[in-house]
Amino acid sequence: MRGFTVRDGTLHCEDVPLASIARGAGTPAYVYSAGVIRDRFRRLDAALAGAPHRIHYSLKANGSRGVLEVLRAAGCAVDVVSGGELFKAQRAGFAPGEILFGGVGKTERELREAIAADVKLINVESEAELRLLSRLADEMGAVVNVGLRVNPEVDVKNAHHYMATGEKGHKFGIPIGEAEAIGRLAIALPNVSLQALDMHVGSQLDSFDAYREGTARLVDLSLVLRRAGADIRYLDAGGGLPVPYGSEEEPDLAVYGAIVTAAANALGVELLVEPGRFFVAASGLLLTRVLYRKQSGAKSYVICDAGMTELLRPSHYDAFHRIEAVAPRPGKLTADVVGPVCESGDFLALDRELPGVESGDLLAVHTAGAYGYVMSSQYNARPRVAEVMVDGARWAVVTARETYEDLVRNESPTPQWRDA
Ligand code: LLP
C-alpha cells in the first residue's frame, strides 16, 4: 500500500489532502498513515509464518498512542526500554504477556516496575543487573522470566556508527565470551527463570549476514544452557530491519524471515522480533510550511516552521529525508531547507533540489514516522507539534500540539528551598 500519493496535483495521505490537515491541525505536524502501518505489520507477520512467533514493536521508534492503537489492533505486541515506555504500553492496553522489557541501564525503580507488571521477559544486559533483579524479585516474592541480551560480536555493515550495537566492545549486551557463565549464574539464582537469549545487532541493517551469524551464535549458546538446566522458550532476534529513505530497495522479508525462523525452529522455541523503524518510518511524514526564502551569498535557503527540534535525524546523523512539495510549482531551485532554531546545525536538508517553492507553501518531509516525534525537543521554547493519524478518508489529531503553558507546567515559580 502507498500511503502518500499525488492526486489532482496535490499530495494526499491515503484519501485525505495534506493541505486539509494543515488547515485543520496547523503546522508543523506529523502525519501517519494507519493503512501503511497495518500493511507493513501484515507483511512482516507473513514473512515469519515459518515459526511460532510474536512481533514486539519497539516502542522507542514512535510511542504515540495513535500508532500503538493501530499496531495493537493488528495483533502486535511491544518492546519497551524504560519505565516511561512501560507506562505508555500499559496505558495503551497491552497485556503484561505482550511486553518485553529491555535496556542497558535499567534503574532499580524500573526493574521493580517491570517485576510488578509481570512482563513477559526482562532482557538483562549484565551480571550486576541479573544479581540485582534476582534480589528485587526475592524481596517482592516473585520469580522473573529473563532473557539475556547477548552481544554476538558480529560485523555490522552499513549502519551509521551510532546505530551499530552488536560489534565487539559496544556497551550493549553481555559479551558473547561471558554469556555462558552468566547464563549458568541465571540458572543458579533462585528468583529468575532463564527463558531466552536475545540480541539486537544494530539499526537500519541492510545486509542480513549479521542476523544469520548472530542467531547462529544464540542457538549454540541456547543449546549449551538448555543442557545446563535452562528452560529456553524463546529466541529474540531484535530489531533493525532497514527502511529505504532514498532510492534503496525495500528489504527482502522472505530472506530475513527464512533466517530468523530457521534459528527458532532449530531450538523448537517461539521467535521474538523487536522491529521499530520498519513499521513506522515510511508510514509518517513531517508536514511543514515554508516561512521565507532567502539568499545569502551563493546560498539559497528555504526557511520552514519545522527544524531540528521536530526532526533531529538530519542534523544528528546526517540522515537523508526526501522532501516533496505538497502542491509543486513550476521551476527548480537548489537550497538548504532549514528550520527557525538558532543553530547552524538546524537543517532538514542541505543543497537539496526542489521545485519552485514560495513562502506559505507546504513541504512534506518523508520517512519521518520513526525516531521523529520521539526525538523532538522544546529547544528555543518550541511546543511539541501535533500528531495526526489518517485512516482512509478520515483523520484525527492523536496527539495535541503543546501549548505555551506546557512549556512552563513543571516549573516552580516559588520553589520550596531546603536546608543542606
Ligand atoms: N531493540 C533494541 C534493543 C534496540 O536498541 C532498538 C533500537 C530496536 C529494537 C529497534 O530498532 P529498529 O528496528 O527501529 O531499527 N535514533 C536512531 C535509531 C536508534 C535505534 C536504537 N535502538 C535513528 O533515528 O535512526
Side-chain angles (χ1 to χ4, degrees), residues 183-184 186-188 192-195 222-232:
R184 287 180 186 275
I187 295 166
V192 295
S193 163
L194 175 60
Q195 302 193 346
S222 295
L223 292 172
V224 170
L225 292 172
R226 199 178 251 174
R227 280 196 294 275
D231 177 17
I232 301 290

Side-chain angles (χ1 to χ4, degrees), residues 177-322:
E178 292 168 31
E180 183 184 334
I182 296 178
R184 287 180 186 275
L185 174 66
I187 295 166
L189 286 170
N191 292 82
V192 295
S193 163
L194 175 60
Q195 302 193 346
L197 293 184
D198 163 41
M199 68 175 201
H200 171 76
V201 289
S203 205
Q204 194 61 2
L205 297 172
D206 65 3
S207 145
F208 292 145
D209 293 347
Y211 289 106
R212 189 177 287 108
E213 289 162 26
T215 53
R217 288 178 193 178
L218 294 196
V219 168
D220 289 347
L221 191 59
S222 295
L223 292 172
V224 170
L225 292 172
R226 199 178 251 174
R227 280 196 294 275
D231 177 17
I232 301 290
R233 301 177 186 190
Y234 311 101
L235 178 82
D236 181 344
L241 276 174
V243 161
Y245 282 83
S247 53
E248 315 94 291
E249 298 275 292
E250 279 279 353
D252 189 335
L253 292 183
V255 173
Y256 166 80
I259 293 169
V260 290
T261 56
N265 288 336
L267 292 170
V269 296
E270 183 180 1
L271 170 69
L272 309 178
V273 293
E274 313 165 354
R277 187 191 315 268
F278 179 78
F279 295 129
V280 288
S283 75
L285 56 75
L286 174 62
L287 188 60
T288 178
R289 201 175 281 283
V290 176
L291 299 175
Y292 306 105
R293 277 187 56 182
K294 183 167 177 172
Q295 195 71 27
S296 177
K299 265 255 176 258
S300 287
Y301 289 98
V302 172
I303 302 172
C304 302
D305 65 1
M308 66 186 293
T309 36
E310 287 66 42
L311 182 63
L312 185 60
R313 303 190 75 258
S315 64
H316 193 56
Y317 306 115
D318 271 327
F320 174 89
H321 286 264
R322 194 165 64 79

Side-chain angles (χ1 to χ4, degrees), residues 349-370:
L350 299 177
D351 290 319
R352 187 63 62 83
E353 202 168 284
L354 298 166
V357 289
E358 301 297 340
S359 48
D361 287 1
L362 292 168
L363 297 180
V365 185
H366 282 285
T367 333

Side-chain angles (χ1 to χ4, degrees), residues 321-334:
H321 286 264
R322 194 165 64 79
I323 297 183
E324 183 177 4
V326 168
R329 296 171 189 273
K332 230 196 238 178
L333 80 147
T334 300

